[in-house]
């Protein structure tokens, strides 16, 4: 696996702690983060980027770059630019091989991250389903309580109507008796 590390820039230690190794994809995003931080805080610094093969610790690329100038916010661009300027006498096949190796490493990391997202999203779906089941159960309980309350109100109305019937019948009988007189 290809890894990268940064050295230099004390003011940037919160972003790139010393002795930390990054995947190529993460190193590229760290470079963009460094550049944003430098621009926001009006800072300039020289940072050394080292790209190495993690299996045998062989250095594949090492370059010092400036942050705070708005130029170095992409790892592949920095490597390509350095190969075209500093190493312009080197064989083009070697340069292309290094760039292809870095691009492939980035693509593999992207695929790996996508697979991890899918793997980790399956339990999340189950979590959402269980939350939805809990929500549905809670709604069912609330609906049952509302139904019980409605039934209790209906029963109270019926009982009140039953109690009212004898009084209404008595009232009707009085009216009829009053009309006969």
């Amino acid at each position: 696996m290809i890894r990268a590390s940064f050295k230099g820039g004390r003011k940037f230690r919160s972003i790139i702690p010393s002795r930390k190794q990054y995947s190529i994809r993460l190193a590229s995003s760290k470079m963009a983060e460094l550049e944003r931080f430098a621009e926001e805080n009006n800072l300039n610094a020289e940072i050394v980027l080292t790209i190495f093969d993690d299996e045998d610790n062989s250095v594949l690329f090492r370059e010092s770059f400036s942050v705070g100038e708005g130029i170095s916010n992409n790892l592949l661009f920095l490597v390509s630019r350095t190969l075209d300027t500093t190493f312009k006498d080197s064989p083009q096949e070697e340069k292309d091989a290094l760039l292809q190796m870095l691009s492939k490493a980035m693509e593999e990391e992207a695929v790996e991250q996508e697979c991890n997202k899918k793997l980790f999203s399956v339990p999340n779906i189950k979590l959402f389903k269980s939350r939805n089941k809990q929500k549905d159960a809670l709604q069912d309980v609330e609906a049952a309580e509302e139904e019980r309350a409605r039934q209790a109100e209906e029963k109270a109305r019926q009982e009140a109507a039953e109690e009212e019937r004898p009084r209404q019948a008595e009232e009707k009988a009085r009216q009829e008796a009053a009309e006969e007189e």
Side-chain angles (χ1 to χ4, degrees), residues 39-73:
E39 287 176 2
E40 289 170 1
N41 295 294
N42 201 22
L43 299 172
N44 288 324
E46 286 292 315
I47 307 289
V48 176
L49 167 68
T50 305
I51 300 174
F52 56 95
D53 189 346
D54 200 23
E55 292 173 6
D56 61 1
N57 280 335
S58 61
V59 174
L60 302 172
F61 180 84
R62 181 176 290 140
E63 178 64 12
S64 173
F65 65 96
S66 298
V67 290
E69 297 174 359
I71 298 171
S72 53
N73 57 4

